[in-house]
Amino acid sequence: MSGDGNKKQFWKRNTAKVPGSIQHVYGAQHPPFDPLLHANLIKAGSKPPPATPGKPKKATTFQEFESITSDAWDVGDDDDELLAMAAQNLNIEVVMETANKVIENHSKQQEKQRQDNTTEPEQREEEAQEEPAEEEEEEEEDEEDRGEEGDVTSPELSFASETSPHSDGRLVKSHSEAPIGSPKDAAGERAALHRQRSLPHRPPVIPLVARMADQNTSGTPAMTEREASRLDKFRQLLAGPNTDLEELRKLSWSGIPRQVRPITWKLLSGYLPANAERRESVLQRKRQEYFGFIQQYYDSRNDEHHQDTYRQIHIDIPRTNPLIPLFQQASVQEIFERILFIWAIRHPASGYVQGINDLVTPFFVVYVFEYIEEEVENFDVSSLQEEALRNIEADSFWCMSKLLDGIQDNYTFAQPGIQRKVKALEELVSRIDESVHRHMQQYEVEYLQFAFRWMNNLLMRELPLRCTIRLWDTYQAEPEGFSHFHLYVCAAFLVRWRKEILEERDFQGLMILLQNLPTMHWGNEEVSVLLAEAYRLKFAFADAPNHYKR
C-alpha cells in the first residue's frame, strides 16, 4: 500500500462531519483509539484509491485542507515564589529560575523513586541467594511475605519519568514476561520468584474525574498541613466584604481546593461580583434570566431553521465523556442539551460547533461539588433537590458563556482563531525543539492534523477530566488563560512527548500517538510540571514574538 493511500484511509476513518461546509478533524473519538483494532481495519479494509504519481498537491485553504484530510503545585516548596509572580511582568531570569526549580524538584523525586524501585528488589535477591538450602521451607514462607510487600506499588508513578508505566502498559513487564525459567537450584528459583514479584504492577484504574491522591480534585484523603493552610488563606480572602480579585488570582494559580472552587471559579470568570453583599441578588437575577431564555427559545428547537442545530447537539451529547457514568444519565444530558441550544441561538455568528459540548463538563462537575461531599463520577443527580439542579444548570451556562466570549473566533466560520493558534504553535515548537519540528516535517505531519483538536477542545480530549479541572484553575487565574496561555500549554504538552515522537518512524504511527497520548493516569503533579514549562515559555516568548519567527 502506498504512503499516500495509507494516509487517505487513515484520515477517512478518523474524521467527523458537522452540518454545513466545515468539516472538523477529530481524530480518535472516545473511547481511546485502539492501535490493534486499527491494524485489523487496515488489513480488512477495501483497496485504497491508487496513489497519484508525484507528491500530492498542498491545500491552499483551510476548507481544502479539511476536505483532503477528510491539584496544587505540591512538587516542591519553591512554587509559592512562582505563584506570587504569575500575573505580573517580571524579570525573565527570575521567572525562569523559579520555574526551573519546580521542574528540577520533580526530576529529583522521580530519580529517587526509580532508585528505590530498583535497589529494593536487588537487595532481596541477594538475601535470597545467601539463605541456606536446608531452611528452604521456612524461607519460601518468608519470601511470600516479602513478595507481597514487593507487589505494593504507588499509584503516583509519574508519566514524567521515562520508566513510568503507560496506561497501555508498554513500559511495564507482565508476569508472563518475567524471567522465571527452570533454575537448577532452589536459591535460583527463589531469586527468580523475587524478581517476578517485585516487578511494578500496572497502576489500578483511576476514576476519570477524581483520584485518591488528588486532594484538590477529590477531597478524599486527609489534607496535609500545607493544604489546610492554603484552604484557610482562600477562606479568609473570600470572607471579606470585597474580595481582592488580584490576590485571588495569585492564590488560585497553583490550584484551588475543592471546598472553595465553585465560588472561586464564579468570581474569576466574572460571573459573580467582588462585593459580597451583591452576590446573592446577582445569582438570583442571572438564574432567572437563564430560565427565561429556556421558556422563550427552547420550544423552537424543532422549528425548521433550528432543527439541524438541535439534532447535532442531540447526537453529540451522549459522546461527551462516555466513560463517565455521570454524563450518561438522562437528566444530565437534558441539562446539557438546553445549555448548548440556548447558547447556540444567542450566538448566531458561530452557532453550535462540535467541541463546545466538552466545555460544559468542567463547570458542571465543579458546581455539582457545591452540593455533595462524595465522589462525583457515579453520583446520581436525581438525588439532588430540583432547585440545586436548576442552580447548577444556570451557573454552568453563564460561566461557559463567559469562557466562550474570549475565544469565540475559534468557532466562527472557517474558525480563524484556531488557524492562527495552530500556526503560532508550529512556529513556537520550531524554536523550542527543532528536532521534534523537523521530525514532523520529515513524515509530513501537519500540525493542524492533531493540534486542531487541542485548540478546539482545549486539550479536554487529551487529558482526564480531573486534570482539565486543575488546568482550568490556572487558566481562570491567568490573564487570557483560555485564549493565550493555552498556546504555551500546548507547546509544552507536545514537547513533553518528544522521546515517543522521535521513536515513531512513519506518518500513521505519529498520528496514532498524537491522538492517543497516554495520560490516563495523570494527576496534579503532571499538570504542575506542564504548567511550569508553559509558564517558562510564555515569559520567554510572549513579549517577544519575533523570537519564534525564523
Side-chain angles (χ1 to χ4, degrees):
M1 181 181 291
S2 70
D4 290 338
N6 207 353
K7 231 190 226 187
K8 288 177 182 177
Q9 275 206 339
F10 179 85
W11 283 108
K12 186 176 180 182
R13 280 191 299 269
N14 290 282
T15 306
K17 290 188 177 181
V18 298
S21 60
I22 298 179
Q23 190 175 23
H24 288 183
V25 181
Y26 258 104
Q29 296 283 353
H30 292 304
F33 193 88
D34 187 343
L36 293 177
L37 177 61
H38 179 75
N40 291 335
L41 289 172
I42 292 174
K43 292 176 183 176
S46 59
K47 186 177 179 182
T52 306
K55 193 168 182 177
K57 180 184 175 183
K58 283 243 178 194
T60 57
T61 68
F62 181 70
Q63 288 87 353
E64 285 179 24
F65 175 84
E66 290 191 308
S67 66
I68 292 171
T69 58
S70 175
D71 262 319
W73 283 64
D74 289 334
V75 182
D77 293 328
D78 304 302
D79 52 303
D80 285 330
E81 294 177 55
L82 186 57
L83 312 178
M85 299 186 292
Q88 305 172 26
N89 284 327
L90 300 178
N91 182 287
I92 184 61
E93 294 180 2
V94 176
V95 174
M96 292 185 69
E97 180 183 354
T98 312
N100 277 325
K101 286 181 182 178
V102 176
I103 297 164
E104 183 181 352
N105 285 340
H106 172 79
S107 300
K108 286 179 180 177
Q109 284 187 351
Q110 295 303 318
E111 183 62 30
K112 183 176 182 300
Q113 191 173 45
R114 283 200 300 271
Q115 291 175 355
D116 290 345
N117 288 341
T118 55
T119 56
E120 188 175 350
E122 290 173 359
Q123 290 172 355
R124 289 178 180 167
E125 183 178 339
E126 291 173 2
E127 290 172 5
Q129 290 174 338
E130 291 172 0
E131 290 167 347
E134 53 265 27
E135 298 177 0
E136 179 178 342
E137 291 184 4
E138 284 185 58
E139 291 162 354
E140 286 180 351
E141 292 177 3
D142 292 340
E143 286 161 5
E144 289 179 5
D145 294 337
R146 288 193 296 270
E148 290 173 2
E149 292 173 5
D151 284 347
V152 180
T153 56
S154 168
E156 289 302 298
L157 287 173
S158 168
F159 278 84
S161 164
E162 291 182 3
T163 58
S164 303
H166 286 210
S167 58
D168 60 1
R170 283 182 296 169
L171 299 185
V172 181
K173 283 190 177 181
S174 67
H175 284 196
S176 62
E177 295 169 346
I180 299 175
S182 302
K184 295 180 181 178
D185 58 290
E189 183 177 356
R190 289 194 297 274
L193 187 60
H194 269 301
R195 286 196 297 273
Q196 176 188 358
R197 285 178 170 169
S198 60
L199 286 169
H201 288 188
R202 179 180 297 187
V205 175
I206 300 173
L208 299 183
V209 177
R211 77 175 179 182
M212 294 293 289
D214 291 342
Q215 169 63 30
N216 272 1
T217 303
S218 69
T220 305
M223 284 192 293
T224 65
E225 184 178 343
R226 179 178 180 178
E227 289 165 342
S229 174
R230 278 178 51 76
L231 179 57
D232 286 342
K233 289 180 182 178
F234 271 95
R235 283 177 169 159
Q236 289 173 17
L237 192 57
L238 294 167
N242 288 284
T243 302
D244 186 334
L245 294 181
E246 276 305 306
E247 286 300 316
L248 187 62
R249 285 190 183 95
K250 291 177 185 178
L251 199 55
S252 300
W253 212 97
S254 63
I256 304 169
R258 172 192 146 169
Q259 296 89 329
V260 294
R261 185 177 271 129
I263 187 171
T264 302
W265 275 27
K266 290 172 188 176
L267 285 164
L268 293 179
S269 68
Y271 177 45
L272 281 185
N275 183 277
E277 290 183 356
R278 294 180 51 222
R279 288 175 194 163
E280 190 59 36
S281 61
V282 168
L283 277 177
Q284 289 182 6
R285 177 172 56 82
K286 298 300 284 185
R287 288 165 178 170
Q288 289 173 2
E289 187 178 355
Y290 169 72
F291 283 102
F293 294 153
I294 296 292
Q295 291 179 349
Q296 184 177 357
Y297 299 117
Y298 195 58
D299 286 342
S300 69
R301 64 189 182 278
N302 294 317
D303 292 354
E304 185 177 351
H305 58 292
H306 288 153
Q307 274 184 351
D308 286 344
T309 296
Y310 180 73
R311 182 170 53 83
Q312 189 61 53
I313 291 172
H314 189 72
I315 290 171
D316 288 346
I317 293 300
R319 300 173 181 171
T320 305
N321 291 290
L323 302 180
I324 301 179
L326 172 72
F327 299 115
Q328 300 311 305
Q329 298 174 39
S331 55
V332 173
Q333 294 187 356
E334 289 169 6
I335 287 171
F336 278 37
E337 285 185 3
R338 288 194 292 268
I339 289 174
L340 293 171
F341 182 76
I342 296 301
W343 187 89
I345 63 174
R346 293 188 74 245
H347 295 81
S350 61
Y352 171 76
V353 177
Q354 280 184 313
I356 294 178
N357 55 306
D358 286 337
L359 305 184
V360 185
T361 55
F363 293 113
F364 185 81
V365 168
V366 168
Y367 298 147
V368 166
F369 273 137
E370 197 168 7
Y371 297 92
I372 68 171
E373 294 294 331
E374 61 266 40
E375 63 91 13
V376 73
E377 188 180 19
N378 296 290
F379 179 73
D380 182 3
V381 297
S382 64
S383 63
L384 288 173
Q385 294 183 358
E386 183 181 353
E387 182 183 1
L389 266 180
R390 286 169 62 88
N391 292 346
I392 292 167
E393 178 176 347
D395 295 348
S396 298
F397 169 81
W398 286 115
C399 289
M400 184 198 75
S401 297
K402 291 281 188 181
L403 185 162
L404 289 170
D405 284 348
I407 57 172
Q408 193 170 353
D409 63 346
N410 283 8
Y411 305 106
T412 53
F413 179 75
Q415 302 183 268
I418 290 180
Q419 295 186 63
R420 286 195 300 270
K421 287 167 188 169
V422 170
K423 183 62 178 174
L425 176 66
E426 182 174 0
E427 292 173 344
L428 185 56
V429 172
S430 72
R431 300 303 294 168
I432 64 177
D433 198 325
E434 190 174 3
S435 297
V436 167
H437 180 67
R438 289 192 177 279
H439 193 73
M440 302 276 216
Q441 288 183 323
Q442 181 182 352
Y443 295 103
E444 298 184 322
V445 174
E446 300 279 354
Y447 281 72
L448 193 65
Q449 292 166 334
F450 63 90
F452 178 94
R453 188 169 78 182
W454 295 11
M455 303 300 177
N456 192 62
N457 302 73
L458 298 177
L459 285 177
M460 287 194 63
R461 297 289 179 99
E462 325 312 318
L463 298 172
L465 184 52
R466 62 179 178 274
C467 294
T468 297
I469 291 172
R470 168 61 193 91
L471 195 66
W472 284 23
D473 287 347
T474 299
Y475 280 8
Q476 300 209 63
E478 177 75 19
E480 298 184 318
F482 293 98
S483 60
H484 185 62
F485 186 62
H486 180 67
L487 167 66
Y488 299 96
V489 171
C490 288
F493 186 65
L494 179 62
V495 174
R496 159 68 185 79
W497 306 101
R498 76 181 312 275
K499 178 177 177 289
E500 292 82 354
I501 289 170
L502 296 176
E503 286 175 352
E504 294 294 342
R505 299 294 178 180
D506 58 60
F507 171 85
Q508 184 168 301
L510 280 166
M511 289 308 307
I512 291 175
L513 169 68
L514 291 168
Q515 291 182 340
N516 299 276
L517 292 165
T519 61
M520 182 61 71
H521 291 83
W522 271 35
N524 285 349
E525 183 179 337
E526 291 83 356
V527 175
S528 296
V529 175
L530 180 67
L531 287 167
E533 292 282 9
Y535 185 73
R536 207 166 49 160
L537 290 175
K538 177 191 170 185
F539 278 90
F541 293 97
D543 297 324
N546 288 332
H547 285 186
Y548 59 77
K549 290 183 180 177
R550 292 189 174 278

